[in-house]
Every structure is written in C-alpha cells, then in structure tokens.
C-alpha cells in the first residue's frame, strides 16, 4: 500500500476512535519465503521468541534514529535501539555525516518490528555503531572499523550482543585476505562466540569479493536472485553461504537475523553444538551449510549452499538431547538417606584465582544472601572457572582446578580419581576455554556423605546484575536437596521464584517484570499440547515423550515459578517465607502431594492443578494482582 495512503487511513481511524491494527508481513516477502523464514515463524511460534534478549550490532555508516522503525517499535517494554556508539568521533552520536546513508536501513531486514512489518529476528534489539563515513569504504577505514569491533568485544556481555552485521564493502575483487587492524578484533569476536558476517559486494565479480568479507573470522555472504536458484553478484570460493535478496547487504542482514534465531534454538533445545565444532559461530555456519539447498554457479563452477532457516532450526530440535543449563545434573532425591544436611560449614570455593574476582564476589553475594534467607546446607563446594583472555592457558592453573575437583569427589579411590582427572575434571576446563557459559548444581551421591557442587563456568557471560540471581537459583537447589523429591516444575520453579523474589528485594532484577515475562512464556504454549502437569518428571519426558522437551523452559521454569506463586497465594497466610519454613517440612513428613493439600485450600492435587490451569488463562492484570497479595 502507498505510504501516503496508509498514513491518511491511520489518521482517519484515529479521528473516529477506530483501533489501528497492522497485518504482520515480512520485511522482504519473497526472500523471506524462499529462505523459509516465514515458515520458521509459523512453526516455532510460542517456542522461540525470535530475537528477544539478543542484540545485533549494526556496524555501518551511522543511522537516522528518528526514523519510526527505530523510534516506534511494536514492543513497548524495551526499546529497539539499545545503545549507540560512534568509533569515528569517539562519542555516542551515530548520526550520518558526509556521504553516510546506508546504516539507517541496513537493520530493517533483520530487526524491524513496526506497523506490521517484521524483520527476521523482529523481537531483537540493536546496537547502532557508526564506524566510518560511508559504507562504500576503503581499507584505510580499518582503524575506525577495528575500534568499532573492539567496542563490541568489550561491551558484548553488558548489552547481550550475540551477532554483528559488518556492513561496509570496498567494492573491489579480493581473492585473498587483506591484512589490516580489524583482523585481531575479528579473531577475538570469533573466540568470544559472537557471529560476524559481511556482504560480498554487488558488482557481479567472479574472481574475488569485497573487503572486509574477504577476511578470516568473518563469514562472507553472497546472494541468490530472489525467486530463482541463480547465484549472482560477487562470489568467490571464500563465500560461506548465499541468501536470496536484491543486494548482498540484504542477504547478510537476513542471515544475521537467522543466526540469532538459530542461536536461540540451540539454547532452547539444549543442542550439543560442540559435537559439530568447538566454536559456536563455526558450528552454526556448519548447520546452515548442512541444511541449506545445494546450488551450482555456472559462471564459476562453485557449489554453494542457500539458506533454509526452517531446515536449520528443525535439525537442531530433532537432533537435540534436551539438557537444562541451569541445573543439568539436578536429579530427584529418592530417600532420606541421600539428603543433604543442615550445616554450620560455609561453602568452600574453588577456581582459578587469576580470573577477575568480581565474578566470584557477585556469585558469593547471591549465595550468601540465599543462605541467610534459607539457612546453610551442605557440604557444598562452589567452583568458579573462567577465561576472559587466556587465564586458563597456563597448564598449572588448569591442573590445580582439576585436581581440587576430583579430590573432593574421590578422596579415597585412586582409580576413580585418575579417571576423573581425564574426564569430568578436564571437561570443566575444556568448556571454559570453549567459551561456554554455564551454571548448575551437580549432586554427588557416591561419596561417603552426599556433596553439593555448584559449578559456574565463565559467569562473565551472564548479564549484570542478573548474575546475582544465578547464585540464588543454584543455592536454592542445595536447600531443596535437603528434603525429599518434588516434581521438576516445583524444583525449578521454586528456585526461580526465590531468585526473582530475593533478587527483587536487592534490586538485582525486577520481580514483577520477571514474573510477567515468565507468564508470557507460559501462555505461548498451547495447553492442549502440554501443561505443567506433564513436567512433574523430566526423566519421563525424555524417555517417553521427547517431543515435549522443547517446552522445558516454558513449563518447568516459567509455569513452575507461577505454580509456586499460586501455591503460596493458596495458603492460609500467603506468606512467601512460609513456603520454605512450613511447606518444605510438610514435604519431609507427608510427601509433596499431601503437602500441597495440607498447605493450601485444595482438597486434592488435581484440584490445585485444575485451578492453576484456569488461572493461566486469566488476563495478565489479574495474574499480576495475585503477586501484590503475597506477604
């Protein structure tokens, strides 16, 4: 529809008080259809968020931020433009200067969510970075480009930057890399697990591609003529993937959004990407290439793969063995003989001392806050292992961590100790070096007395101050391990509730906002397909109904946290404190089902579940009021 006509119709609607609703449509209809973006939205609606909690860095020639696409995003709970930076002038004003024009629109295919028009990862946020005067550049621009990339590396955790659209092109045919200042920064970003890709150029070169797409550690993205399987524009053996679009800059923008969706799919499904490659961006590209459609370029004889986003996401979910990152070793307690005990001993901390100790301080603060609230249980060992630069490069540093870990697990069994050194202990270091970010409870029941291990690998990868709540969540699992078995949703939901509740009291997170986001996740799941009841036993899901594993986050964590809130609200006192001081002792005496009946107004557990499911269908305002009634 003509934009002037659209504006006229909107104004008429506003004059007469008629609600304005825009139909949702792809930012680039034919390329999105051909790349299976639309099909991915349709199939994984409610399972994936399509970019939420990820930020795409747009490294280009600046942006006009007054454009409505960037100033009036559909999502009103967070801004589309999260942060800005100008590496040319060294300030935070990314407006175009001189010949600049391109950066205002380069983010639309990947990120727009305005007036019904959607980019690939339409719920993402963007970091707008002006890195040069004009996108049609020269290798002499490498200094300011390198500065822009260094800024991303420095701030990626703070702003949750997972992906970089490196948009400039020098419009030349390079058949070999051109060494410049950006190479060090590209290598660093690849090591950090951040996707960086660039367009190859639009001159129909067959003997080379534009800089910086020609460089190592930068994926080179070419084009397919939309609606056909004809490879065109600049291509060369360095090209990693081709995407339907009218220009390679659009091809790359579409792929950047696709990379954000694939990353989320890997996270949600628990896909073991290290089995493909030890580096996450490399593993993602290999998935895109493995699942893409094979095309032959007649002009060069090259065999290239065309993006098929649905096939890539399907591959991840179908091949995945779901494993919760937060509590990957959490197992139900079967008997009182395997319980942790109330203890006067504080947790013992292990790790590499050359890792920035502020991360230990944050986690210890979260853990100690939880101990003060719940009490002290154990014995508990806390392992904080991290590498921001090369902290684990020295063999003696890694060796000490491994030996400490294995000695605590196998103090009296030399054979098991030696085996641990080579396997479980060594794995901690490997995962840290690979850039994995993990937080989990490992429950050791083969020692003389059971032992709780809280393991935090590269905690600097978690955003701040959210990291405080990961210490709370995991130590709550230690408390739970001092009582008999509870259903998976109560275990994970309870730990998340305490994390939100204590985190809110200390202003590390917003309790109301955290609960609201969890309810959105709950309501994204069709209750005819799965409900919280299905997640009483994650082991049974993995064994008997693996197709439901994709809802682990939604129904074990997010429905679980609301299940716990509803449980507390249904008690006679509605006091949060009584959930741990009264309800858990009832579990020890009666088991969790009878404890629910005694603790609440419900005559049966089935009555509780029915009422909770009805509550999930209520308006969000009514749901949020329940929280205000807790004491």
């Amino acid at each position: 529809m003509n934009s002037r006509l659209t504006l006229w119709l909107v104004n008429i609607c506003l004059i007469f008080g008629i609600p304005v609703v825009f139909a949702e449509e792809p930012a680039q209809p034919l390329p999105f259809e051909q790349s299976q973006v639309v099909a991915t939205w349709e199939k994984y609606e409610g399972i994936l968020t399509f970019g939420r909690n990820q930020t795409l860095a747009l490294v280009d020639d600046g942006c006009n931020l007054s454009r409505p696409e960037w100033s009036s995003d559909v999502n009103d709970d967070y801004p589309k433009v999260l942060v800005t930076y100008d590496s040319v002038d060294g300030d935070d004003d990314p407006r175009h200067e001189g010949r600049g024009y391109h950066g205002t629109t380069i983010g639309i295919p990947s990120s727009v969510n305005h007036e019904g028009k959607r980019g690939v990862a339409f719920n993402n946020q963007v970091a707008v970075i002006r890195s040069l005067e004009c996108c049609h550049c020269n290798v002499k621009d490498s200094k300011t480009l390198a500065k822009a990339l260094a800024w991303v590396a420095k701030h990626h955790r703070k702003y949750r930057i997972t992906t970089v659209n490196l948009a400039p092109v020098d419009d030349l045919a390079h058949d070999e890399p051109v060494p410049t200042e950006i190479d060090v920064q590209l290598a660093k970003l690849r090591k950090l697990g951040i996707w960086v890709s660039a367009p190859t150029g639009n001159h129909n070169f067959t003997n080379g591609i534009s800089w910086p797409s020609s460089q190592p550690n930068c994926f080179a993205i070419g084009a397919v003529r939309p609606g056909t399987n004809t490879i065109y524009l600049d291509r060369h053996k360095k090209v990693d993937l081709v995407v339907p679009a009218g220009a390679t800059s659009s091809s790359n923008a579409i792929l950047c959004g696709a990379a954000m969706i694939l990353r989320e799919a890997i996270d949600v499904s628990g896909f073991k990407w290290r089995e493909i490659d030890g580096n996450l961006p490399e593993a993602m590209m290999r998935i895109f290439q493995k699942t893409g459609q094979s095309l032959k370029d007649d002009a060069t004889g090259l065999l290239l793969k065309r993006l098929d986003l649905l096939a890539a996401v399907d591959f991840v979910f179908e091949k995945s063995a779901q494993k919760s990152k937060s509590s990957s070793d959490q197992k139900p307690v079967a008997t009182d003989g395997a319980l942790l005990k109330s203890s006067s001993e504080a947790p013992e901390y292990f790790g590499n001392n050359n890792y920035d100790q502020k991360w230990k301080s944050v986690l210890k603060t979260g853990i100690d806050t939880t101990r003060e609230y719940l009490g002290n249980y154990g014995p508990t060992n806390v392992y904080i292992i991290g590498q921001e630069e090369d902290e684990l490069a020295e063999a003696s540093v890694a060796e000490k961590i491994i030996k400490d870990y294995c000695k605590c697990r196998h103090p009296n069994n030399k054979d098991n100790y030696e085996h641990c050194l080579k396997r479980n202990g060594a794995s901690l270091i490997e995962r840290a070096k690979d850039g994995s970010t993990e937080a989990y409870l490992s429950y050791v029941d083969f020692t003389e007395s059971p032992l709780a291990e809280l393991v935090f690998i590269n905690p600097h990868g978690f955003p701040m101050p959210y990291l405080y709540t990961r210490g709370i969540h995991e130590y709550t699992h230690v408390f739970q391990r001092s009582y008999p078995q509870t259903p998976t949703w109560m275990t994970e939901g309870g730990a998340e509730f305490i994390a939100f509740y204590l985190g809110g009291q200390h202003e590390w997170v917003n309790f109301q906002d955290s609960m609201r986001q969890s309810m959105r996740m709950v309501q994204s799941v069709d209750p005819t397909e799965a409900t919280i009841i299905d997640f009483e036993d994650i082991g049974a899901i993995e064994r008997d109904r693996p197709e439901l594993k994709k809802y682990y986050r939604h129904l074990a964590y997010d429905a679980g946290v609301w299940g716990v809130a509803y449980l507390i609200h249904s008690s006679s006192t509605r006091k949060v404190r009584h959930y741990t001081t009264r309800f858990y002792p009832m579990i020890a005496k009666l088991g969790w089902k009878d404890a629910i009946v005694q603790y609440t107004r419900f005559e049966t557990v089935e009555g509780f579940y029915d009422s909770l499911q009805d509550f999930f269908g209520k308006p969000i305002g009514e749901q949020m009021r329940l929280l205000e009634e807790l004491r």
Side-chain angles (χ1 to χ4, degrees), residues 271-466:
F271 180 76
K272 296 180 180 179
W273 54 268
R274 289 184 189 82
E275 295 181 359
I276 293 179
D277 194 282
N279 177 269
L280 180 55
E282 292 279 0
M284 292 165 64
M285 178 53 78
R286 288 180 63 183
I287 292 170
F288 281 134
Q289 291 171 339
K290 180 180 180 67
T291 59
Q293 181 175 349
S294 296
L295 301 179
K296 183 177 180 179
D297 177 33
D298 292 335
T300 62
L302 290 171
L303 291 174
L304 298 173
K305 291 296 188 81
R306 192 196 78 195
L307 172 66
D308 185 329
L309 179 57
L310 181 62
V313 174
D314 280 345
F315 173 83
V316 162
F317 275 97
E318 290 168 5
K319 299 295 183 182
S320 169
Q322 174 71 52
K323 183 177 181 182
S324 165
K325 283 190 175 182
S326 293
S327 295
S328 60
D329 292 326
Q330 183 79 13
K331 296 178 288 186
V333 177
T335 66
D336 286 353
L339 300 178
L340 296 171
K341 305 294 182 183
S342 177
S343 171
S344 60
E345 298 288 333
E348 188 171 1
Y349 286 78
F350 301 87
N352 49 319
N353 293 329
N354 61 349
Y355 182 53
D356 194 330
Q357 292 300 290
K358 69 182 178 184
W359 308 118
K360 175 181 177 181
S361 177
V362 169
L363 288 167
K364 189 174 186 298
T365 299
I367 289 170
D368 288 347
T369 298
T370 320
R371 290 171 59 218
E372 183 178 347
Y373 184 77
L374 295 177
N376 195 69
Y377 297 85
T380 301
N381 290 347
V382 183
Y383 297 90
I384 301 173
I385 307 163
Q387 177 166 277
E388 294 184 89
E389 298 294 339
D390 58 358
E391 291 91 335
L392 296 171
E394 191 173 333
S396 61
V397 174
E399 186 177 312
K400 184 179 187 306
I401 297 170
I402 296 171
K403 286 184 175 180
D404 286 342
Y405 178 78
C406 294
K407 184 176 181 180
C408 292
R409 284 186 151 219
H410 307 286
N412 301 312
N413 190 314
K414 184 177 180 181
D415 289 341
N416 288 346
Y417 171 76
E418 294 293 337
H419 182 74
C420 176
L421 294 177
K422 299 174 183 177
R423 298 294 297 276
N424 291 5
S427 174
L428 298 175
I429 306 302
E430 290 170 5
R431 282 142 53 200
K433 286 183 175 180
D434 285 344
S436 178
T437 297
E438 304 176 31
Y440 62 89
L441 165 71
S442 181
Y443 184 74
V444 182
D445 57 3
F446 48 76
T447 50
E448 185 175 345
S449 298
L451 169 69
E453 296 173 339
L454 300 186
V455 180
F456 300 93
I457 297 177
N458 289 327
H460 63 268
F462 288 103
M464 282 290 292
Y466 174 78

Side-chain angles (χ1 to χ4, degrees), residues 7-82:
L7 181 60
W8 178 80
L9 290 172
V10 169
N11 288 331
I12 292 296
C13 289
L14 292 175
I15 290 171
F16 288 98
I18 302 171
V20 179
V21 179
F22 294 95
E24 296 168 355
E25 63 176 22
Q28 296 190 4
L30 183 55
F32 279 30
E33 289 283 354
Q34 194 173 356
S35 298
Q36 295 289 287
V37 172
V38 177
T40 305
W41 291 344
E42 293 172 350
K43 181 171 182 177
Y44 288 93
E45 181 180 6
I47 300 171
L48 300 177
T49 66
F50 307 113
R52 187 178 289 268
N53 296 320
Q54 290 190 68
T55 300
L56 169 63
L58 301 173
V59 179
D60 204 342
D61 58 15
C63 182
N64 177 4
L65 297 179
S66 65
R67 282 277 293 258
E69 291 91 339
W70 308 125
S71 60
S72 302
D73 190 74
V74 167
N75 292 311
D76 57 8
D77 53 347
Y78 58 85
K80 175 59 72 174
V81 179
L82 176 61

